[in-house]
Amino acid sequence: MANSIVSIREVVKEYHLGQTVVPALRGVNLEVERGEFLSIAGPSGSGKTTLLNLIGCVDTATRGIVEVAGKDTAKLSERALTSLRLDTIGFIFQSFNLVSVLTVFQNVEFPLLLQNRLGANERKARVMQLLEQVGLATHAKHRPNELSGGQRQRVAVARALVTEPLIVLADEPTANLDSKTGQAIIDLMRSLNQQKGTTFIFSTHDFKVMEHANAVVRLADGKVLARETPQEAVQHVLGRREAAAEASVGAP
Amino acid sequence: MKTFLLIGSVVLGGLVGLLALALGLTLLAGLIAFVVMGVRSPSKLTMLLRMAWANLLASRINLVIGGLIAGGTVVFVVLGSLVSSLNDSMARSVVGSVAGNIQIYSAKSKDDVALYGNMGGEPDLTAMTTFPAIKEALEKHPNVKTVVPMGVSGAVITPGNVVDRALERLRALYRAKQGDVVPALKDVPADELAQRIDAQKSHVRQIIKVLNADAQKAAAILADKALEPEVAQALARVSSDEFWTGFDADPFDALEFLENNIAPQVTDAQMLFLRYLGTDLDRFQDSFDRMEIIDGARVPNGQRGFLIAKFLYEEQMKLKNARRLDKINTARTLNERKIATDEELQRFVKENRSQTRDIVLQLDAIKTKTAVELLQAELGVAETDLSALLTRFFDMTDETFDRRYAFFYEKLAPLVELYRVRVGDTLTIKAFSRGGAIQSVNVKVYGTFAFKGLEKSPLAGATSLMDLMSFRDLYGYLTADKLEELKEIKQATGAKEISRDNAEAELFGGDSQATIVAEATPGIIDADKELTGAARKLRNEDLIRRVYTSEEINSGVVLNAAVVLKDPSKTARTLEELRELSDREGLGLKAVSWQQAAGLLGQIITGFSIILLLSVLVIFFVAGIVINNAMMMATMQRTAMIGTLRAIGAQRALVLGMVLLEAVTLGFVFGLGGIALGALVVQLFHAIGIPAWNDYAYFFFSGPKLRPDLSPTNLGVAIGIIFGVTYVATLVPAFIATRVSPLRAMQADT
């Protein structure tokens, strides 16, 4: 536990839709260690995104404890949470979420400007180095709409990593990409994880993506079913699907 | 009305002030925040600016907002420059014509001074009896250039009709023939006098012929409404040859018969109301640069004299036909109106056709013949009746107008008298003095004048100018001449002055046998003490030629005075200082700015400015609301982007700054564009000039065209308002933007 970068204990998250209370997470426990390349899997509505939101400090738990980088997020102010996000967490979104009016370079530079720690030259060096790593150095002056989906997501990866965060959260990072490009993004993330030791937590329901993780946390109905190896997870999921398929074939 | 305006402006001023204060404070806070950000993290500010700049043309909503800002700015710049140009030109006209920068009058006055008159007649001002001392005290102030004494009053004059004038000339000729001294005919030899008498007589006979024809026409139409028997008899008598062959036997008797019986039949004599400003003419003519002599010359220094306002001269004293032709000409050339399509112009043409008698009556036999020949040639007809020819001539169309207008002034006008009062005439002006007695003075008309920029103003153009001595005579105040006259009378009657306190004792007690002259209100003359008859007349003729010293002009009462300043920009301060001066030295003065002194005119200007200011405020208020709405929409459209920024670590303050900066950048870019466009429009207006489409517009424009100028203040205010309005209109959307949750980033679908 001492090595945990994320520690989640007995977390409950409920949404209120008018009078109805919709439980998204029902007592989740999870420890994530530094340098992990962790996949969160599960069908739609299982609570993947909610869990990521809590880890990413963009949402707070109804009950239970969420500790990120040793800080209990429930005890932090809005302002402190924002600072925590800026300094500790990098985000990769399903829809890339780049600022359309800024260039590739400016998009990646943005978090550094928010941090306001590096001088212009250092910033430039850092951004260009990352763009090299994601293979987009030649596209620095392009606008997001001039890039393909895969290229955009690579820009997003660069942006997420530019502040050298402890954790990078990716919510379905390949969902909007074709399988080949998705594969390339995951490979990129994995190599950065190995090079820098950055913790990656990403949600997915794609086996091929899951396979790259060093562990898979399987969620269903707001509960952690298991923390297992990718192979185990794939088999579980496949098994369930086959069973479902047989059930539907066998049905009268 | 005044109170209403005052309360209105105070309330409005208060509201605007509060709004401006709130606005200023928020702006200041925003500015400080941006400066702090700029110092602590210049790159962050640069980035926000970059985003704001990049966002400018990225969204359609921004273009709408930008268009609105630019449009609003154009309107503001153009309207603003119109208002200030109107105000400036009016201010120049008013200050430079009568008002001066400041007006002073007695604090005891019942009413406030109203130089161009007020609704309900002239204001009741108490006279200042110690003007020389007041003048001396005020002129010591370093910013006072000069103090011009004044007083406004009115009188009725009857310039006489065409028969009266013809008979008067004939009488003068006979008097000259008889050996009387008639200055105008002094050097005319006897044989020429005889010729002139014949010509003049034939003119009178011509008039009688016209009157006869009129009478016959009337009889033909309305048999029972024909002339009264005495008039018919008189007409028959003067139409007969016997009357004219016997004329020379007793010309004065015959003239009297004509004056008493025939002249009243011509009804063109109109009573004219003259409003005049009595003033130190020398000083007036030197101090008011807007005044210009149109006909004739200025009144010689120190002399009595009268200058008729050109507007009044044209409107009331000019031959009606000529006046109507002038109006048609102006309408056609200046306002591009057409007789064919304009009802008013058609009415003028119709009136000119039917009202030719004024001209016919004026012409004697020789001139009638000349006129008939000229008109026959011009119209290409054989008609011999002048009246018929004139009717045909005045039947003008757009095609014939210009030619005939020129013909009228070149050929016909020299034959007639265009004005009922001519430059050089002596006017007898009768007025009720303050004491209620009728006073009359004879003043020579030296010319006509107008105030530049107020030529067409019925308000300003209704006031003629009179020397202060005649004014005091008419108003019933003592003048140098009156003092002399009084002295003579007193010596002759043995009267002595006693004080009011002793009056009772002098009247009822003691054994004084002297005639008592009660001391009335100081300075007011008793009409009984005036000289009458021939002595009076002789004195009047002397008076016209008498030259007065500046001291004589100034000593005596004045009602109000214009204070002309060296530096008009310090008017408000000088006004305060003059008030203090009056209190300190016990001058008993009220001092007001030219706007207040202009009375109704001043109120019109103020009202006009308020209306335009209000409309500009409304425009920007509406613009503010629309900008607010549009900004709200723009924010709603960008919640995903804002959520993303928040998720990756942007604080709320940054989001607030981003939206505000974007709005201000938008305001700045489009506002500057609007200012440039507005300036262009104003310059364009300046170059071509906005033509005055009617007399009211002419009045407000202070001339035939308004040429608005750009004022730097105006542009500065425009920039300030744009920033303010955009900033305030964006505050709410910007605040809402800070409430966007970073969760929105996760739900993004872009």
Side-chain angles (χ1 to χ4, degrees), chain A residues 140-155:
Chain A
K141 288 183 177 164
H142 285 57
R143 295 281 164 120
N145 61 4
E146 294 163 347
L147 304 178
S148 70
Q151 285 172 322
R152 287 187 213 183
Q153 197 59 306
R154 278 189 277 158
V155 176

Side-chain angles (χ1 to χ4, degrees), chain A residues 53 78-79 85 95 97 106, chain B residues 50 644 646 651 745 748 750:
Chain A
N53 287 348
E78 215 290 321
R79 212 182 145 75
R85 287 200 297 271
S95 307
N97 292 24
Q106 288 164 349
Chain B
R50 207 155 57 194
T644 304
R646 295 279 289 121
Q651 296 286 0
T750 48

Side-chain angles (χ1 to χ4, degrees), chain B residues 223-426:
Chain B
D224 53 335
K225 283 251 174 165
L227 294 175
E228 286 170 34
E230 307 90 75
V231 178
Q233 269 176 21
L235 255 182
R237 184 175 161 206
V238 299
S239 303
S240 67
D241 286 339
E242 296 89 69
F243 179 81
W244 292 98
T245 44
F247 199 97
D248 284 351
D250 190 350
F252 294 108
D253 188 51
L255 278 167
E256 203 177 321
F257 182 81
L258 285 168
E259 276 165 359
N260 292 338
N261 297 285
I262 304 303
Q265 302 311 313
V266 180
T267 49
D268 76 335
Q270 262 183 6
M271 289 207 298
L272 269 182
F273 179 74
L274 272 185
R275 185 176 188 271
Y276 47 80
L277 180 86
T279 182
D280 177 348
L281 282 176
D282 306 341
R283 205 170 269 263
F284 191 92
Q285 288 164 131
D286 292 337
S287 302
F288 292 105
D289 59 331
R290 289 262 133 186
M291 178 197 168
E292 49 184 1
I293 299 287
I294 310 290
D295 311 297
R298 54 183 276 175
V299 177
N301 278 359
Q303 286 197 23
R304 287 176 176 241
F306 199 84
L307 293 169
I308 302 175
K310 181 68 175 170
F311 181 83
L312 180 93
Y313 195 58
E314 291 291 317
E315 278 294 323
Q316 309 249 5
M317 300 188 180
K318 195 170 192 178
L319 182 73
K320 292 271 179 286
N321 298 68
R323 182 72 193 133
R324 282 190 286 260
L325 287 183
D326 293 345
K327 281 184 173 169
I328 297 174
N329 188 45
T330 310
R332 277 169 46 83
T333 52
L334 207 64
N335 304 327
E336 291 173 358
R337 285 155 68 186
K338 294 261 171 289
I339 298 172
T341 53
D342 194 298
E343 275 182 30
E344 192 187 25
L345 301 189
Q346 284 164 9
R347 184 164 54 79
F348 288 153
V349 169
K350 204 175 144 200
E351 284 170 358
N352 263 359
R353 276 170 46 203
S354 59
Q355 298 171 23
T356 56
R357 199 152 146 272
D358 277 0
I359 300 176
V360 174
L361 282 178
Q362 274 200 34
L363 301 180
D364 60 23
I366 302 164
K367 284 178 178 169
T368 302
K369 192 164 165 268
T370 316
V372 166
E373 283 166 8
L374 284 168
L375 284 169
Q376 280 174 341
E378 172 65 18
L379 300 172
V381 291
E383 173 68 57
T384 52
D385 179 59
L386 178 60
S387 195
L389 278 167
L390 282 170
T391 302
R392 204 181 274 217
F393 174 74
F394 282 124
D395 189 10
M396 297 176 183
T397 62
D398 290 306
E399 287 70 42
T400 55
F401 182 83
D402 288 337
R403 187 185 153 86
R404 291 195 186 175
Y405 183 70
F407 176 86
F408 178 83
Y409 276 102
E410 272 169 36
K411 303 283 168 62
L412 291 184
L415 300 175
V416 294
E417 274 173 19
L418 277 180
Y419 296 93
R420 286 199 283 155
V421 175
R422 288 149 304 173
V423 171
D425 282 359
T426 298

Side-chain angles (χ1 to χ4, degrees), chain A residues 15 49 53 57-59 78-80 82-83 85-86 91 93-102 106 109-111 113-116 123 143 159 171, chain B residues 40-44 47-48 50-51 54-55 58 640-641 643-654 741-750:
Chain A
Y15 291 108
T49 304
N53 287 348
C57 303
V58 294
D59 207 350
E78 215 290 321
R79 212 182 145 75
T82 308
S83 295
R85 287 200 297 271
L86 175 62
F91 285 91
F93 304 96
Q94 184 179 343
S95 307
F96 326 133
N97 292 24
L98 299 176
V99 180
S100 59
V101 295
L102 298 182
Q106 288 164 349
E109 190 192 22
F110 197 94
L113 290 171
L114 291 177
Q115 282 188 329
N116 194 31
R123 276 203 311 272
R143 295 281 164 120
R159 180 177 67 184
D171 186 18
Chain B
R40 278 173 49 184
S41 169
S43 50
K44 211 189 271 184
M47 176 199 59
L48 286 188
R50 207 155 57 194
M51 280 179 73
N55 259 326
M641 196 269 273
T644 304
L645 296 187
R646 295 279 289 121
I648 63 175
Q651 296 286 0
R652 282 180 171 159
L654 187 109
S741 162
L743 269 177
R744 274 292 287 123
M746 306 301 167
Q747 300 146 5
D749 210 18
T750 48

Side-chain angles (χ1 to χ4, degrees), chain A residues 7-250:
Chain A
S7 174
I8 289 175
R9 277 162 278 159
E10 294 302 322
V11 162
V12 173
K13 177 69 185 175
E14 290 165 349
Y15 291 108
H16 294 262
L17 285 176
Q19 297 289 322
T20 351
V21 176
V22 184
L25 295 176
R26 328 174 184 215
V28 170
N29 287 294
L30 178 67
E31 299 291 325
V32 183
E33 287 172 19
R34 270 181 198 269
E36 273 199 81
F37 197 70
L38 183 73
S39 173
I40 296 175
S44 295
S46 59
K48 297 193 298 283
T49 304
T50 306
L51 185 58
L52 279 180
N53 287 348
L54 294 181
I55 300 170
C57 303
V58 294
D59 207 350
T60 48
T62 312
R63 282 188 297 278
I65 293 169
V66 178
E67 272 181 19
V68 177
K71 286 172 182 153
D72 184 349
T73 58
K75 291 178 179 157
L76 295 178
S77 67
E78 215 290 321
R79 212 182 145 75
L81 281 176
T82 308
S83 295
L84 187 67
R85 287 200 297 271
L86 175 62
D87 294 333
T88 317
I89 305 166
F91 285 91
I92 299 167
F93 304 96
Q94 184 179 343
S95 307
F96 326 133
N97 292 24
L98 299 176
V99 180
S100 59
V101 295
L102 298 182
T103 63
V104 165
F105 182 92
Q106 288 164 349
N107 264 289
V108 177
E109 190 192 22
F110 197 94
L112 291 179
L113 290 171
L114 291 177
Q115 282 188 329
N116 194 31
R117 283 181 203 134
L118 302 181
N121 290 334
E122 291 167 287
R123 276 203 311 272
K124 189 176 176 192
R126 174 85 67 88
V127 172
M128 285 316 290
Q129 184 209 333
L130 267 166
L131 285 179
E132 291 280 357
Q133 279 179 307
V134 300
L136 283 171
T138 51
H139 290 68
K141 288 183 177 164
H142 285 57
R143 295 281 164 120
N145 61 4
E146 294 163 347
L147 304 178
S148 70
Q151 285 172 322
R152 287 187 213 183
Q153 197 59 306
R154 278 189 277 158
V155 176
V157 171
R159 180 177 67 184
L161 285 161
V162 77
T163 55
E164 300 184 333
L166 295 174
I167 313 161
V168 170
L169 298 175
D171 186 18
E172 303 270 6
T174 59
N176 282 340
L177 302 172
D178 61 67
S179 59
K180 198 177 154 201
T181 317
Q183 189 67 47
I185 289 292
I186 290 298
D187 287 344
L188 174 66
M189 282 164 56
R190 183 69 179 151
S191 73
L192 289 167
N193 163 255
Q194 281 162 355
Q195 279 171 34
K196 303 185 187 229
T198 313
T199 312
F200 274 77
I201 305 172
F202 58 95
S203 68
T204 187
H205 49 253
D206 186 336
F207 309 133
K208 284 178 186 157
V209 173
M210 257 181 255
E211 278 167 0
H212 291 82
N214 55 16
V216 175
V217 172
R218 202 147 45 79
L219 286 184
D221 295 328
K223 283 183 176 164
V224 176
L225 291 183
R227 182 183 168 112
E228 51 200 8
T229 63
Q231 290 75 24
E232 287 166 342
V234 169
Q235 265 173 11
H236 264 117
V237 176
L238 275 179
R240 214 175 43 227
R241 281 199 194 160
E242 277 163 13
E246 275 168 21
S248 72
V249 169

